[in-house]
Each structure stands twice: as C-alpha cells, then as structure tokens.
Amino acid sequence: MDVEDADFKPLTAEQAQQLRDANPEPSPWWVIVAQVVAGLVVAGIAWVWTGRPVAGVSALYGALAVAIPAALFVRGAMRGTQAGHPSAAMLRFFVWELIKLALTVAFLAAAPWVIGDLSWLAMLAGIVAAMKMYWVALVVRPRLLNRI
C-alpha cells in the first residue's frame, strides 16, 4: 500500500453534498454577459476616440463574433450534462468547440460585407476585449483554481 493510498479517505454522501453546497458550480453565462459588456465598453471608447460611429459598430461586431459562438457553445455543451456517458460528454464538448471556432471564423470573414467601411483595428480591439473575459473569469473566481 502506497503512502498516498493510506491518506485517502472517501467522502460519505453527506460530506460530498456539503462540499458541493460549499462550492457551487459557477454559471458560464456570466462570462458571456461580460464579453458583451466589454464589447459595449470598447465600442463606446472607439466611437468617442475616433468620432466615427463605424468604429464603435466594428468593435461591437468583433466582441459579438466571440460572444455569440461562445453562447452557442455553452448551450450545446451543457445540454444533457447531468446524465450520460463521460466519453459522450467529451465528444459533445469537442464538437461544440469546433462549431464555436468555425462560427467565429465565419463571423470574421463576413465582417467586411456586414459592416460597410469596417474599422479592422476597432474590430480587433472588440475581439481582444471579449476574449480577455475568460482570463477575468479566472481572476474573479480564484476558487476554481483551488479545485483543479
């Protein structure tokens, strides 16, 4: 018997429930909301800074090109997570991640046609702001790192 095995004590059902109650699962939807809010903030800054409304629209479009596919990913990947086989859950995760990436690329490829006189720099700022919300989620929720 290994030393690590000797230190391991399985939890009772009651202890496991207390642990779950003390550490509730955070909702991934607040990250999506933060991405949209960050996009709105960057859009406002871009509009005011350049004096061109199209810069604000471009920045918001960039943030939405990240947030909308992420929202679809969360909806698709989280569906049916309570029951099912773990390998099916992993497959569902990877399929929805692929869909998310493909939709993001499609949004970005369509940008010049959707927004006339697109401001590429403002759109990039919106993309970066929305993507940084994943890092903000880790900083705001440091307890998640302790669980890993």
Side-chain angles (χ1 to χ4, degrees):
M1 179 173 250
D2 200 346
V3 174
E4 290 182 17
D5 291 338
D7 292 339
F8 179 76
K9 292 188 333 187
L11 298 176
T12 65
E14 185 178 299
Q15 290 171 326
Q17 186 59 45
Q18 288 174 348
L19 185 63
R20 276 188 228 105
D21 292 341
N23 298 298
E25 278 294 318
S27 172
W29 290 105
W30 76 271
V31 177
I32 307 299
V33 170
Q35 288 177 327
V36 173
V37 169
L40 289 169
V41 169
V42 170
I45 291 169
W47 187 342
V48 169
W49 191 2
T50 64
R52 297 176 47 220
V54 73
V57 171
S58 298
L60 182 59
Y61 184 88
L64 291 178
V66 173
I68 291 172
L72 290 174
F73 166 81
V74 168
R75 184 177 179 275
M78 299 300 282
R79 191 176 346 166
T81 57
Q82 273 54 23
H85 199 269
S87 62
M90 285 303 293
L91 178 63
R92 184 172 48 250
F93 177 87
F94 285 117
V95 166
W96 279 103
E97 182 66 19
L98 182 63
I99 291 169
K100 180 179 90 167
L101 292 172
L103 280 173
T104 300
V105 169
F107 267 99
L108 298 179
W113 290 279
V114 174
I115 300 174
D117 195 28
L118 176 70
S119 172
W120 288 95
L121 189 58
M123 185 176 75
L124 180 64
I127 292 167
V128 169
M131 289 179 69
K132 289 299 176 186
M133 290 303 108
Y134 295 119
W135 288 101
V136 170
L138 288 175
V139 171
V140 171
R141 298 284 205 170
R143 291 184 303 175
L144 291 176
L145 294 176
N146 294 334
R147 294 165 138 190
I148 298 175

